[in-house]
Amino acid sequence: MALDSVLLFLNSVFLQEGGGMFDFLGGGHGALGSDDPIIKGLILSAFCVAGFGIILNVFNAAVRKKMVDQTKLKRIMKETRAWQKERMAAMRSKDQAKINELSKKSSYMNKMSMEMMQMNMRPMMITFVPLILIFYLVLPVLFSHIVALSPISLNIIPGDFFQLTCTAEQAADMENICTKENALYLWAWYFLSSIAFSGIIMKLTKTSMDLS
């Protein structure tokens, strides 16, 4: 799930038009979306954007299921985590003999970790480009800058650098794209809704990295 979350965030970072890589984080005029979208209305937009998130999550899971040997991946994960846990316990207890014994497996474990990373990165290399193209060519045309409303502000990071929702000052500015306080930007709602469904879809498709 963590890798999918990073992918979704990176997708959001690179799809802003004209504002540079981080311009959309502050909202305002650089936010993703259209002044005259094809799909209008907050309720319809919110459901449609969430639907895009679900569909793209299913696409990610399908590619992952096809390209990654889940049995082998979980075996490697279980083996490396068990070794790391055992090594950490030996270091805490200062059991030098056990540390030396486990250190002999370091090369093998590093090899397993690298293989696990490659297995996880392979599907991301396939899915990243089409997801970016959808953002550039589809979402900005279909939807407005603002697609949902939050009951509270989600701007947990102080300052104007990273904004998920509109502020009262932005809503009061007639020239700003924000129409209401705590309105959610298109990129923010897509990211949040995708994250919300990601874990569920991965469990249903049995592509989760959870060993439990």
Side-chain angles (χ1 to χ4, degrees):
M1 181 175 176
L3 284 171
D4 283 359
S5 301
V6 171
L7 174 62
L8 291 170
F9 180 75
L10 287 176
N11 287 339
S12 302
V13 168
F14 288 104
L15 38 106
Q16 301 306 311
E17 346 175 298
M21 181 176 176
F22 296 105
D23 184 66
F24 78 106
L25 294 173
H29 299 287
L32 179 74
S34 172
D35 293 327
D36 185 24
I38 295 175
I39 298 177
K40 304 179 188 297
L42 285 180
I43 295 177
L44 181 59
S45 296
F47 277 105
C48 288
V49 172
F52 265 97
I54 293 172
I55 291 171
L56 295 178
N57 265 308
V58 171
F59 171 64
N60 284 335
V63 172
R64 184 177 178 82
K65 193 174 184 69
K66 184 72 174 178
M67 297 186 65
V68 178
D69 185 339
Q70 296 297 319
T71 302
K72 182 179 180 180
L73 177 63
K74 290 187 177 182
R75 177 182 60 79
I76 293 175
M77 289 174 60
K78 187 175 182 180
E79 189 175 353
T80 53
R81 288 183 184 181
W83 177 80
Q84 290 170 352
K85 185 177 180 180
E86 193 173 1
R87 188 167 181 267
M88 190 62 67
M91 292 178 70
R92 288 199 188 102
S93 63
K94 297 181 180 181
D95 187 342
Q96 192 59 47
K98 189 67 174 178
I99 293 174
N100 293 338
E101 180 185 345
L102 292 170
S103 294
K104 295 177 182 178
K105 294 184 178 181
S106 293
S107 178
Y108 170 74
M109 288 301 168
N110 289 336
K111 181 181 178 181
M112 291 295 99
S113 296
M114 182 62 67
E115 183 176 359
M116 181 172 61
M117 185 186 305
Q118 291 173 347
M119 292 173 72
N120 284 318
M121 290 296 293
R122 203 174 299 128
M124 289 177 63
M125 294 174 65
I126 300 297
T127 59
F128 187 79
V129 172
L131 294 182
I132 287 294
L133 291 177
I134 288 174
F135 264 99
Y136 271 122
L137 302 178
V138 180
L139 295 189
V141 177
L142 291 178
F143 303 106
S144 175
H145 306 283
I146 303 300
V147 295
L149 288 175
S150 171
I152 60 173
S153 173
L154 301 180
N155 301 329
I156 56 176
I157 299 179
D160 297 330
F161 176 68
F162 190 87
Q163 291 187 340
L164 298 175
T165 53
C166 295
T167 64
E169 292 77 11
Q170 289 171 329
D173 184 356
M174 297 298 293
E175 296 183 358
N176 199 286
I177 61 172
C178 291
T179 55
K180 294 182 179 180
E181 183 181 1
N182 296 333
L184 274 156
Y185 295 109
L186 170 57
W187 77 268
W189 177 244
Y190 169 78
F191 178 67
L192 293 175
S193 57
S194 296
I195 290 297
F197 288 104
S198 177
I200 298 173
I201 292 172
M202 290 180 73
K203 284 185 180 296
L204 290 175
T205 56
K206 297 181 180 179
T207 56
S208 174
M209 296 179 66
D210 188 2
L211 295 177
S212 59

